[in-house]
Amino acid sequence: MGKIGYSYEQLQKSHPCFGGHVNNAGRIHLPVSPGCNIACRFCDRVINDVEDRPGVTSRVLKPEETIEILSKALELCPDIHVAGIAGPGDTLATDYAIETFRLVKEAYPHLIKCMSTNGLLLLERADELIDIGIDSLTVTVNAVDPEIEAKLNKYIIYHGVRYDGVEGAKILIENQLKGIRRVADAGMTIKVNTVLVPEINGDHIEAIAEAVARAGADIYNIIPLIPQYELSGYRAPSCAEIDSAREIAGRYIDVFRHCQHCRADAAGVPGVSEFGDRIYQRRINVKETFSHG
C-alpha cells in the first residue's frame, strides 16, 4: 500500500525530526493533550517556562485555540512546515489531539501532521489516525522485554484498569508493536523513540531496533536519559554509549541523530530560531508541578 501522506523521503526534506533540519524546516508543537495513561519512571510533566525538554509546556491549549496559534506562528515563522502534537501527556489518552488535527487539516491542509504517542492505545485508535491522514507518527518504545520495561514504567491505565509492573508492560509492548504494524501497513511513516538508560536498557537496544524495524518503523531515535523523577539517581548515557547504541541500531533501521529534546510547546526551526515565547506568551518564571490525573 502506498503512503497515506508524505513519504519518508519527502519527510526527510521537510520535517526536522526526520532529517529536514538540514533545510531549516520548522515545526510547531500544539500542547493539547494533558493526561497520560502510563507512568514512566523518568517522566516529569510540568507547566513552566524555564525547562527545555519534552513533557513541558507553559499552558495547555483547547483544540479550538490552536488555529489562532497556528496563524500567529506561520506569520512569525513561514519556515514552519509541521504541526505536531507531543503532549505534554499522551496524544491518544484523550480525544483532544485528534480533534485538533481535524481542525488543522481543514484550515492548513498543506502542513505536515505529526503526532507522538506511547502507543498503548495505538492499535485500537489506528483507524482514526489513518482517517485523519497523520503524515508522521512517533512511538516511544523503551523495551520489548516486559521485565526491562517494568523498570522504566511503573504501571499503565488501560480501559480504566491499572496494571502494574510486568503485567502492564506486557500489554503496552504488545499494543505498541501491533499498533506500529497496523499503521505501517496503511502507509504511515513511523519514527520510534527510545530513552536510553544505560543501567536498564543499555544492552537492549539491538532487540528494540530489530523488533520495531520488523513491525514497520522507518527511523529510530535514541534519546539520552534526563535524570529526574524516579530515575534521578541514574546517570545519563555518555556520548560514546549513545554512539555505540546508534551503531548497533543502525544494523536494522535508519537512525536519526539530531534530536533537540523539544518542549511540548516548541515553535520555530530547531537550533536556529525559537518563537515559543512569543507565540504562547510565556509569563511563568518558576517551575510548578502539574498533575495529569
Side-chain angles (χ1 to χ4, degrees):
M1 181 182 293
K3 291 293 179 185
I4 61 177
Y6 290 77
S7 68
Y8 178 40
E9 291 72 22
Q10 290 172 316
L11 290 171
Q12 287 179 303
K13 299 176 182 178
S14 54
H15 192 314
C17 295
F18 286 81
H21 59 283
V22 298
N23 295 322
N24 281 347
R27 83 306 187 218
I28 180 169
H29 288 171
L30 302 168
V32 300
S33 300
C36 198
N37 46 15
I38 72 173
C40 296
R41 299 181 188 274
F42 52 77
C43 184
D44 184 17
R45 296 185 306 277
V46 297
I47 288 184
N48 71 48
D49 291 339
V50 297
E51 296 179 88
D52 287 317
R53 61 172 177 82
V56 178
T57 182
S58 59
R59 57 179 293 211
V60 176
L61 300 177
K62 297 177 181 178
E64 58 268 24
E65 296 179 281
T66 57
I67 301 306
E68 182 179 351
I69 291 290
L70 268 174
S71 175
K72 183 190 299 185
L74 291 168
E75 185 176 338
L76 286 170
C77 184
D79 289 326
I80 289 176
H81 302 305
V82 180
I85 303 179
D90 186 66
T91 51
L92 297 179
T94 61
D95 293 331
Y96 302 130
I98 289 174
E99 292 174 11
T100 298
F101 279 125
R102 288 196 180 101
L103 296 173
V104 172
K105 183 178 182 179
E106 182 177 348
Y108 296 100
H110 67 285
L111 290 178
I112 295 169
K113 295 177 292 300
C114 174
M115 174 185 280
S116 297
T117 178
N118 59 42
L120 177 61
L121 298 177
L122 178 55
L123 179 61
E124 62 196 74
R125 305 204 72 172
D127 288 346
E128 295 175 86
L129 304 186
I130 294 165
D131 181 63
I132 293 170
I134 297 298
D135 297 294
S136 67
L137 182 73
T138 296
V139 185
T140 299
V141 180
N142 294 319
V144 292
D145 179 333
E147 296 286 345
I148 296 174
E149 176 66 30
K151 296 177 182 178
L152 297 167
N153 177 37
K154 287 189 294 186
Y155 62 83
I156 67 171
I157 302 295
Y158 188 51
H159 296 302
V161 179
R162 172 169 166 160
Y163 298 90
D164 291 280
V166 172
E167 184 181 18
K170 288 179 179 178
I171 296 170
L172 176 61
I173 293 166
E174 181 179 4
N175 288 4
Q176 287 173 330
L177 295 178
K178 287 183 177 179
I180 290 171
R181 169 52 60 196
R182 174 71 183 92
V183 294
D185 285 347
M188 196 178 297
T189 299
I190 303 164
K191 174 164 68 72
V192 167
N193 284 348
T194 293
V195 177
L196 176 59
V197 186
E199 296 147 289
I200 297 178
N201 63 357
D203 295 327
H204 190 52
I205 296 299
E206 182 172 13
I208 302 171
E210 184 178 14
V212 299
R214 194 184 318 118
D218 298 280
I219 188 169
Y220 190 55
N221 180 31
I222 296 171
I223 302 174
L225 171 73
I226 299 175
Q228 60 184 2
Y229 196 44
E230 292 190 4
L231 297 190
S232 59
Y234 287 75
R235 64 180 180 83
S238 66
C239 291
E241 287 172 322
I242 296 171
D243 286 342
S244 176
R246 287 171 172 167
E247 182 180 352
I248 290 169
R251 301 170 188 167
Y252 303 92
I253 189 171
D254 196 9
V255 175
F256 181 65
R257 300 172 183 270
H258 301 279
C259 183
Q260 298 289 318
H261 266 146
C262 296
R263 288 170 55 103
D265 60 356
V269 179
V272 177
S273 61
E274 287 291 346
F275 296 94
D277 289 346
R278 295 167 66 182
I279 291 169
Y280 291 106
Q281 297 180 334
R282 296 175 186 157
R283 295 188 180 92
I284 305 172
N285 294 314
V286 295
K287 179 176 177 178
E288 297 179 3
T289 300
F290 181 44
S291 174
H292 296 272

